[in-house]
PDB file of all heavy atoms in Angstrom:
ATOM      1  N   GLU B   1     124.623  74.605 129.541  1.00  0.00           N
ATOM      2  CA  GLU B   1     124.984  73.954 128.340  1.00  0.00           C
ATOM      3  C   GLU B   1     124.744  72.520 128.627  1.00  0.00           C
ATOM      4  O   GLU B   1     125.457  71.759 129.256  1.00  0.00           O
ATOM      5  CB  GLU B   1     126.472  74.143 128.085  1.00  0.00           C
ATOM      6  CG  GLU B   1     127.005  73.556 126.783  1.00  0.00           C
ATOM      7  CD  GLU B   1     128.418  73.666 126.524  1.00  0.00           C
ATOM      8  OE1 GLU B   1     129.207  73.344 127.519  1.00  0.00           O
ATOM      9  OE2 GLU B   1     128.854  74.103 125.546  1.00  0.00           O
ATOM     10  N   ILE B   2     123.608  71.900 128.073  1.00  0.00           N
ATOM     11  CA  ILE B   2     123.116  70.594 128.461  1.00  0.00           C
ATOM     12  C   ILE B   2     123.639  69.551 127.409  1.00  0.00           C
ATOM     13  O   ILE B   2     123.954  68.448 127.729  1.00  0.00           O
ATOM     14  CB  ILE B   2     121.601  70.550 128.568  1.00  0.00           C
ATOM     15  CG1 ILE B   2     121.121  69.229 129.153  1.00  0.00           C
ATOM     16  CG2 ILE B   2     120.896  70.972 127.387  1.00  0.00           C
ATOM     17  CD1 ILE B   2     119.681  69.074 129.541  1.00  0.00           C
ATOM     18  N   ASP B   3     123.601  69.988 126.123  1.00  0.00           N
ATOM     19  CA  ASP B   3     124.065  69.033 125.091  1.00  0.00           C
ATOM     20  C   ASP B   3     125.396  69.129 124.786  1.00  0.00           C
ATOM     21  O   ASP B   3     125.965  70.009 123.999  1.00  0.00           O
ATOM     22  CB  ASP B   3     123.175  69.200 123.815  1.00  0.00           C
ATOM     23  CG  ASP B   3     121.704  68.927 124.041  1.00  0.00           C
ATOM     24  OD1 ASP B   3     121.552  67.916 124.709  1.00  0.00           O
ATOM     25  OD2 ASP B   3     120.887  69.557 123.424  1.00  0.00           O
ATOM     26  N   HIS B   4     126.244  68.382 125.512  1.00  0.00           N
ATOM     27  CA  HIS B   4     127.702  68.380 125.602  1.00  0.00           C
ATOM     28  C   HIS B   4     128.139  66.948 125.846  1.00  0.00           C
ATOM     29  O   HIS B   4     127.533  66.285 126.773  1.00  0.00           O
ATOM     30  CB  HIS B   4     128.343  69.290 126.568  1.00  0.00           C
ATOM     31  CG  HIS B   4     129.771  69.600 126.463  1.00  0.00           C
ATOM     32  ND1 HIS B   4     130.634  68.546 126.869  1.00  0.00           N
ATOM     33  CD2 HIS B   4     130.624  70.596 126.055  1.00  0.00           C
ATOM     34  CE1 HIS B   4     131.831  68.925 126.725  1.00  0.00           C
ATOM     35  NE2 HIS B   4     131.864  70.171 126.218  1.00  0.00           N
ATOM     36  N   ARG B   5     129.099  66.429 125.076  1.00  0.00           N
ATOM     37  CA  ARG B   5     129.471  65.003 125.172  1.00  0.00           C
ATOM     38  C   ARG B   5     129.948  64.474 126.620  1.00  0.00           C
ATOM     39  O   ARG B   5     129.917  63.509 126.943  1.00  0.00           O
ATOM     40  CB  ARG B   5     130.556  64.646 124.178  1.00  0.00           C
ATOM     41  CG  ARG B   5     131.873  65.280 124.354  1.00  0.00           C
ATOM     42  CD  ARG B   5     133.069  64.604 123.552  1.00  0.00           C
ATOM     43  NE  ARG B   5     132.712  64.511 122.038  1.00  0.00           N
ATOM     44  CZ  ARG B   5     133.281  63.607 121.318  1.00  0.00           C
ATOM     45  NH1 ARG B   5     134.246  62.751 121.828  1.00  0.00           N
ATOM     46  NH2 ARG B   5     133.006  63.545 120.062  1.00  0.00           N
ATOM     47  N   GLU B   6     130.415  65.666 127.419  1.00  0.00           N
ATOM     48  CA  GLU B   6     130.884  65.348 128.691  1.00  0.00           C
ATOM     49  C   GLU B   6     129.873  65.181 129.853  1.00  0.00           C
ATOM     50  O   GLU B   6     130.107  64.851 130.919  1.00  0.00           O
ATOM     51  CB  GLU B   6     132.269  66.180 129.054  1.00  0.00           C
ATOM     52  CG  GLU B   6     133.316  66.004 128.165  1.00  0.00           C
ATOM     53  CD  GLU B   6     134.414  67.110 128.553  1.00  0.00           C
ATOM     54  OE1 GLU B   6     134.402  67.620 129.637  1.00  0.00           O
ATOM     55  OE2 GLU B   6     135.291  67.263 127.688  1.00  0.00           O
ATOM     56  N   ASN B   7     128.771  65.729 129.537  1.00  0.00           N
ATOM     57  CA  ASN B   7     127.742  65.689 130.569  1.00  0.00           C
ATOM     58  C   ASN B   7     127.070  64.291 130.710  1.00  0.00           C
ATOM     59  O   ASN B   7     126.872  63.624 129.670  1.00  0.00           O
ATOM     60  CB  ASN B   7     126.494  66.535 130.182  1.00  0.00           C
ATOM     61  CG  ASN B   7     126.770  68.080 130.424  1.00  0.00           C
ATOM     62  OD1 ASN B   7     127.560  68.450 131.272  1.00  0.00           O
ATOM     63  ND2 ASN B   7     126.179  68.914 129.628  1.00  0.00           N
ATOM     64  N   THR B   8     126.999  63.779 131.908  1.00  0.00           N
ATOM     65  CA  THR B   8     126.439  62.348 132.091  1.00  0.00           C
ATOM     66  C   THR B   8     124.923  62.336 131.886  1.00  0.00           C
ATOM     67  O   THR B   8     124.276  63.333 132.029  1.00  0.00           O
ATOM     68  CB  THR B   8     126.823  61.873 133.524  1.00  0.00           C
ATOM     69  OG1 THR B   8     126.047  62.807 134.346  1.00  0.00           O
ATOM     70  CG2 THR B   8     128.337  62.042 133.932  1.00  0.00           C
ATOM     71  N   PRO B   9     124.310  61.216 131.587  1.00  0.00           N
ATOM     72  CA  PRO B   9     122.962  61.115 131.514  1.00  0.00           C
ATOM     73  C   PRO B   9     122.190  61.648 132.665  1.00  0.00           C
ATOM     74  O   PRO B   9     121.255  62.249 132.552  1.00  0.00           O
ATOM     75  CB  PRO B   9     122.769  59.606 131.239  1.00  0.00           C
ATOM     76  CG  PRO B   9     123.977  59.181 130.565  1.00  0.00           C
ATOM     77  CD  PRO B   9     125.160  59.926 131.263  1.00  0.00           C
ATOM     78  N   GLU B  10     122.665  61.142 133.906  1.00  0.00           N
ATOM     79  CA  GLU B  10     122.045  61.658 135.036  1.00  0.00           C
ATOM     80  C   GLU B  10     122.248  62.944 135.308  1.00  0.00           C
ATOM     81  O   GLU B  10     121.392  63.794 135.828  1.00  0.00           O
ATOM     82  CB  GLU B  10     122.529  60.727 136.286  1.00  0.00           C
ATOM     83  CG  GLU B  10     123.998  60.827 136.625  1.00  0.00           C
ATOM     84  CD  GLU B  10     124.824  59.797 135.804  1.00  0.00           C
ATOM     85  OE1 GLU B  10     124.398  59.336 134.747  1.00  0.00           O
ATOM     86  OE2 GLU B  10     125.934  59.558 136.365  1.00  0.00           O
ATOM     87  N   GLY B  11     123.331  63.577 134.905  1.00  0.00           N
ATOM     88  CA  GLY B  11     123.705  64.927 135.047  1.00  0.00           C
ATOM     89  C   GLY B  11     122.689  65.828 134.084  1.00  0.00           C
ATOM     90  O   GLY B  11     122.235  67.022 134.573  1.00  0.00           O
ATOM     91  N   ARG B  12     122.476  65.390 132.904  1.00  0.00           N
ATOM     92  CA  ARG B  12     121.468  65.917 132.030  1.00  0.00           C
ATOM     93  C   ARG B  12     120.151  66.055 132.688  1.00  0.00           C
ATOM     94  O   ARG B  12     119.441  67.189 132.514  1.00  0.00           O
ATOM     95  CB  ARG B  12     121.420  65.301 130.709  1.00  0.00           C
ATOM     96  CG  ARG B  12     122.710  65.580 129.813  1.00  0.00           C
ATOM     97  CD  ARG B  12     122.595  64.531 128.625  1.00  0.00           C
ATOM     98  NE  ARG B  12     121.323  64.574 127.932  1.00  0.00           N
ATOM     99  CZ  ARG B  12     120.975  65.456 127.094  1.00  0.00           C
ATOM    100  NH1 ARG B  12     121.828  66.444 126.647  1.00  0.00           N
ATOM    101  NH2 ARG B  12     119.825  65.387 126.379  1.00  0.00           N
ATOM    102  N   GLU B  13     119.749  64.959 133.331  1.00  0.00           N
ATOM    103  CA  GLU B  13     118.476  65.065 133.948  1.00  0.00           C
ATOM    104  C   GLU B  13     118.413  66.087 135.082  1.00  0.00           C
ATOM    105  O   GLU B  13     117.376  66.839 135.122  1.00  0.00           O
ATOM    106  CB  GLU B  13     118.093  63.660 134.536  1.00  0.00           C
ATOM    107  CG  GLU B  13     117.811  62.590 133.541  1.00  0.00           C
ATOM    108  CD  GLU B  13     116.640  62.833 132.671  1.00  0.00           C
ATOM    109  OE1 GLU B  13     115.593  63.385 133.170  1.00  0.00           O
ATOM    110  OE2 GLU B  13     116.828  62.690 131.422  1.00  0.00           O
ATOM    111  N   ARG B  14     119.472  66.196 135.832  1.00  0.00           N
ATOM    112  CA  ARG B  14     119.541  67.306 136.766  1.00  0.00           C
ATOM    113  C   ARG B  14     119.492  68.694 136.092  1.00  0.00           C
ATOM    114  O   ARG B  14     118.831  69.648 136.769  1.00  0.00           O
ATOM    115  CB  ARG B  14     120.754  67.131 137.593  1.00  0.00           C
ATOM    116  CG  ARG B  14     120.879  68.015 138.877  1.00  0.00           C
ATOM    117  CD  ARG B  14     122.009  67.643 139.766  1.00  0.00           C
ATOM    118  NE  ARG B  14     123.406  67.938 139.206  1.00  0.00           N
ATOM    119  CZ  ARG B  14     124.191  66.919 138.822  1.00  0.00           C
ATOM    120  NH1 ARG B  14     123.837  65.675 138.843  1.00  0.00           N
ATOM    121  NH2 ARG B  14     125.285  67.277 138.272  1.00  0.00           N
ATOM    122  N   LEU B  15     120.133  68.829 135.015  1.00  0.00           N
ATOM    123  CA  LEU B  15     120.104  70.193 134.353  1.00  0.00           C
ATOM    124  C   LEU B  15     118.698  70.443 133.882  1.00  0.00           C
ATOM    125  O   LEU B  15     118.288  71.643 134.014  1.00  0.00           O
ATOM    126  CB  LEU B  15     121.139  70.139 133.279  1.00  0.00           C
ATOM    127  CG  LEU B  15     122.588  69.990 133.620  1.00  0.00           C
ATOM    128  CD1 LEU B  15     123.499  70.139 132.309  1.00  0.00           C
ATOM    129  CD2 LEU B  15     123.010  71.083 134.678  1.00  0.00           C
ATOM    130  N   LEU B  16     118.031  69.537 133.366  1.00  0.00           N
ATOM    131  CA  LEU B  16     116.662  69.691 132.901  1.00  0.00           C
ATOM    132  C   LEU B  16     115.698  70.187 133.997  1.00  0.00           C
ATOM    133  O   LEU B  16     114.970  71.036 133.797  1.00  0.00           O
ATOM    134  CB  LEU B  16     116.069  68.453 132.324  1.00  0.00           C
ATOM    135  CG  LEU B  16     116.499  68.102 130.860  1.00  0.00           C
ATOM    136  CD1 LEU B  16     115.968  66.695 130.477  1.00  0.00           C
ATOM    137  CD2 LEU B  16     115.935  69.129 129.959  1.00  0.00           C
ATOM    138  N   ALA B  17     115.887  69.508 135.272  1.00  0.00           N
ATOM    139  CA  ALA B  17     115.206  69.905 136.302  1.00  0.00           C
ATOM    140  C   ALA B  17     115.420  71.336 136.783  1.00  0.00           C
ATOM    141  O   ALA B  17     114.611  72.181 137.169  1.00  0.00           O
ATOM    142  CB  ALA B  17     115.381  68.921 137.499  1.00  0.00           C
ATOM    143  N   LEU B  18     116.845  71.694 136.861  1.00  0.00           N
ATOM    144  CA  LEU B  18     117.174  73.035 137.274  1.00  0.00           C
ATOM    145  C   LEU B  18     116.676  74.055 136.166  1.00  0.00           C
ATOM    146  O   LEU B  18     116.249  75.223 136.634  1.00  0.00           O
ATOM    147  CB  LEU B  18     118.769  73.183 137.308  1.00  0.00           C
ATOM    148  CG  LEU B  18     119.322  72.365 138.366  1.00  0.00           C
ATOM    149  CD1 LEU B  18     120.961  72.415 138.350  1.00  0.00           C
ATOM    150  CD2 LEU B  18     118.941  73.010 139.776  1.00  0.00           C
ATOM    151  N   SER B  19     116.689  73.688 134.915  1.00  0.00           N
ATOM    152  CA  SER B  19     116.119  74.638 133.892  1.00  0.00           C
ATOM    153  C   SER B  19     114.687  74.927 134.129  1.00  0.00           C
ATOM    154  O   SER B  19     114.304  76.082 134.024  1.00  0.00           O
ATOM    155  CB  SER B  19     116.440  74.048 132.467  1.00  0.00           C
ATOM    156  OG  SER B  19     115.770  74.784 131.559  1.00  0.00           O
ATOM    157  N   LYS B  20     113.851  73.962 134.483  1.00  0.00           N
ATOM    158  CA  LYS B  20     112.519  74.131 134.648  1.00  0.00           C
ATOM    159  C   LYS B  20     112.246  74.918 135.928  1.00  0.00           C
ATOM    160  O   LYS B  20     111.340  75.732 135.949  1.00  0.00           O
ATOM    161  CB  LYS B  20     111.785  72.748 134.623  1.00  0.00           C
ATOM    162  CG  LYS B  20     111.821  71.952 133.377  1.00  0.00           C
ATOM    163  CD  LYS B  20     111.198  70.643 133.482  1.00  0.00           C
ATOM    164  CE  LYS B  20     111.238  69.901 132.209  1.00  0.00           C
ATOM    165  NZ  LYS B  20     110.702  68.519 132.405  1.00  0.00           N
ATOM    166  N   ARG B  21     113.044  74.598 137.001  1.00  0.00           N
ATOM    167  CA  ARG B  21     112.845  75.288 138.243  1.00  0.00           C
ATOM    168  C   ARG B  21     113.122  76.840 138.166  1.00  0.00           C
ATOM    169  O   ARG B  21     112.369  77.623 138.714  1.00  0.00           O
ATOM    170  CB  ARG B  21     113.576  74.611 139.318  1.00  0.00           C
ATOM    171  CG  ARG B  21     113.385  75.192 140.669  1.00  0.00           C
ATOM    172  CD  ARG B  21     114.258  74.595 141.713  1.00  0.00           C
ATOM    173  NE  ARG B  21     114.142  75.246 143.093  1.00  0.00           N
ATOM    174  CZ  ARG B  21     114.782  74.843 144.137  1.00  0.00           C
ATOM    175  NH1 ARG B  21     115.504  73.736 144.060  1.00  0.00           N
ATOM    176  NH2 ARG B  21     114.580  75.469 145.209  1.00  0.00           N
ATOM    177  N   TYR B  22     114.096  77.141 137.559  1.00  0.00           N
ATOM    178  CA  TYR B  22     114.753  78.510 137.479  1.00  0.00           C
ATOM    179  C   TYR B  22     114.529  79.291 136.205  1.00  0.00           C
ATOM    180  O   TYR B  22     114.893  80.392 136.068  1.00  0.00           O
ATOM    181  CB  TYR B  22     116.253  78.482 137.843  1.00  0.00           C
ATOM    182  CG  TYR B  22     116.434  77.984 139.219  1.00  0.00           C
ATOM    183  CD1 TYR B  22     116.946  76.796 139.614  1.00  0.00           C
ATOM    184  CD2 TYR B  22     116.263  79.019 140.276  1.00  0.00           C
ATOM    185  CE1 TYR B  22     117.243  76.391 140.872  1.00  0.00           C
ATOM    186  CE2 TYR B  22     116.639  78.582 141.491  1.00  0.00           C
ATOM    187  CZ  TYR B  22     116.954  77.340 141.868  1.00  0.00           C
ATOM    188  OH  TYR B  22     117.311  76.978 143.149  1.00  0.00           O
ATOM    189  N   GLY B  23     113.912  78.565 135.139  1.00  0.00           N
ATOM    190  CA  GLY B  23     113.615  79.337 133.852  1.00  0.00           C
ATOM    191  C   GLY B  23     114.945  79.488 133.050  1.00  0.00           C
ATOM    192  O   GLY B  23     114.972  80.575 132.450  1.00  0.00           O
ATOM    193  N   LEU B  24     115.841  78.620 133.087  1.00  0.00           N
ATOM    194  CA  LEU B  24     117.108  78.727 132.509  1.00  0.00           C
ATOM    195  C   LEU B  24     117.126  78.230 131.125  1.00  0.00           C
ATOM    196  O   LEU B  24     116.414  77.084 130.872  1.00  0.00           O
ATOM    197  CB  LEU B  24     118.337  78.105 133.261  1.00  0.00           C
ATOM    198  CG  LEU B  24     118.569  78.684 134.574  1.00  0.00           C
ATOM    199  CD1 LEU B  24     119.507  77.701 135.444  1.00  0.00           C
ATOM    200  CD2 LEU B  24     119.357  80.108 134.370  1.00  0.00           C
ATOM    201  N   ALA B  25     117.650  78.930 130.112  1.00  0.00           N
ATOM    202  CA  ALA B  25     117.784  78.401 128.778  1.00  0.00           C
ATOM    203  C   ALA B  25     118.740  77.237 128.674  1.00  0.00           C
ATOM    204  O   ALA B  25     119.609  77.067 129.580  1.00  0.00           O
ATOM    205  CB  ALA B  25     118.272  79.482 127.864  1.00  0.00           C
ATOM    206  N   LEU B  26     118.551  76.399 127.688  1.00  0.00           N
ATOM    207  CA  LEU B  26     119.490  75.263 127.525  1.00  0.00           C
ATOM    208  C   LEU B  26     120.151  75.299 126.153  1.00  0.00           C
ATOM    209  O   LEU B  26     119.449  75.641 125.107  1.00  0.00           O
ATOM    210  CB  LEU B  26     118.546  73.864 127.529  1.00  0.00           C
ATOM    211  CG  LEU B  26     117.913  73.551 128.948  1.00  0.00           C
ATOM    212  CD1 LEU B  26     116.944  72.413 128.687  1.00  0.00           C
ATOM    213  CD2 LEU B  26     118.998  73.337 129.968  1.00  0.00           C
ATOM    214  N   THR B  27     121.362  75.039 126.166  1.00  0.00           N
ATOM    215  CA  THR B  27     122.148  75.174 124.864  1.00  0.00           C
ATOM    216  C   THR B  27     122.913  73.899 124.585  1.00  0.00           C
ATOM    217  O   THR B  27     122.958  73.071 125.550  1.00  0.00           O
ATOM    218  CB  THR B  27     123.181  76.303 125.051  1.00  0.00           C
ATOM    219  OG1 THR B  27     124.264  75.984 125.935  1.00  0.00           O
ATOM    220  CG2 THR B  27     122.567  77.575 125.399  1.00  0.00           C
ATOM    221  N   GLY B  28     123.312  73.670 123.391  1.00  0.00           N
ATOM    222  CA  GLY B  28     124.182  72.660 123.032  1.00  0.00           C
ATOM    223  C   GLY B  28     125.324  73.081 122.128  1.00  0.00           C
ATOM    224  O   GLY B  28     125.142  73.909 121.377  1.00  0.00           O
ATOM    225  N   SER B  29     126.388  72.380 122.230  1.00  0.00           N
ATOM    226  CA  SER B  29     127.601  72.726 121.419  1.00  0.00           C
ATOM    227  C   SER B  29     128.572  71.718 121.399  1.00  0.00           C
ATOM    228  O   SER B  29     128.531  70.765 122.157  1.00  0.00           O
ATOM    229  CB  SER B  29     128.145  74.070 121.950  1.00  0.00           C
ATOM    230  OG  SER B  29     128.206  74.072 123.362  1.00  0.00           O
ATOM    231  N   SER B  30     129.699  71.903 120.610  1.00  0.00           N
ATOM    232  CA  SER B  30     130.589  70.780 120.465  1.00  0.00           C
ATOM    233  C   SER B  30     131.750  70.862 121.463  1.00  0.00           C
ATOM    234  O   SER B  30     132.415  69.864 121.735  1.00  0.00           O
ATOM    235  CB  SER B  30     131.196  70.854 119.107  1.00  0.00           C
ATOM    236  OG  SER B  30     131.890  72.039 118.764  1.00  0.00           O
ATOM    237  N   ASP B  31     132.165  72.061 121.796  1.00  0.00           N
ATOM    238  CA  ASP B  31     133.472  72.374 122.488  1.00  0.00           C
ATOM    239  C   ASP B  31     134.673  71.862 121.631  1.00  0.00           C
ATOM    240  O   ASP B  31     135.621  71.265 122.103  1.00  0.00           O
ATOM    241  CB  ASP B  31     133.420  71.571 123.894  1.00  0.00           C
ATOM    242  CG  ASP B  31     134.518  72.016 124.922  1.00  0.00           C
ATOM    243  OD1 ASP B  31     135.239  73.031 124.467  1.00  0.00           O
ATOM    244  OD2 ASP B  31     134.644  71.455 125.871  1.00  0.00           O
ATOM    245  N   TYR B  32     134.695  72.361 120.421  1.00  0.00           N
ATOM    246  CA  TYR B  32     135.578  72.000 119.373  1.00  0.00           C
ATOM    247  C   TYR B  32     137.007  72.526 119.666  1.00  0.00           C
ATOM    248  O   TYR B  32     137.078  73.785 120.026  1.00  0.00           O
ATOM    249  CB  TYR B  32     135.125  72.323 118.063  1.00  0.00           C
ATOM    250  CG  TYR B  32     135.961  72.252 116.893  1.00  0.00           C
ATOM    251  CD1 TYR B  32     136.174  70.844 116.351  1.00  0.00           C
ATOM    252  CD2 TYR B  32     136.621  73.173 116.253  1.00  0.00           C
ATOM    253  CE1 TYR B  32     136.972  70.683 115.267  1.00  0.00           C
ATOM    254  CE2 TYR B  32     137.388  72.985 115.109  1.00  0.00           C
ATOM    255  CZ  TYR B  32     137.487  71.693 114.587  1.00  0.00           C
ATOM    256  OH  TYR B  32     138.412  71.551 113.526  1.00  0.00           O
ATOM    257  N   HIS B  33     137.941  71.622 119.483  1.00  0.00           N
ATOM    258  CA  HIS B  33     139.304  72.184 119.607  1.00  0.00           C
ATOM    259  C   HIS B  33     140.202  71.757 118.496  1.00  0.00           C
ATOM    260  O   HIS B  33     141.485  71.673 118.622  1.00  0.00           O
ATOM    261  CB  HIS B  33     140.050  71.581 120.889  1.00  0.00           C
ATOM    262  CG  HIS B  33     139.508  72.123 122.211  1.00  0.00           C
ATOM    263  ND1 HIS B  33     138.236  72.035 122.673  1.00  0.00           N
ATOM    264  CD2 HIS B  33     140.247  72.979 123.196  1.00  0.00           C
ATOM    265  CE1 HIS B  33     138.249  72.621 123.940  1.00  0.00           C
ATOM    266  NE2 HIS B  33     139.275  73.095 124.249  1.00  0.00           N
TER     267      HIS B  33
END
């Protein structure tokens, strides 16, 4: 889950790299409560 308000900008970059390396899908959502 990459598009989430609590992920940091540098963390998002790390997730993008992991996604490319391992072929993982990327999702986005609100985590609405």
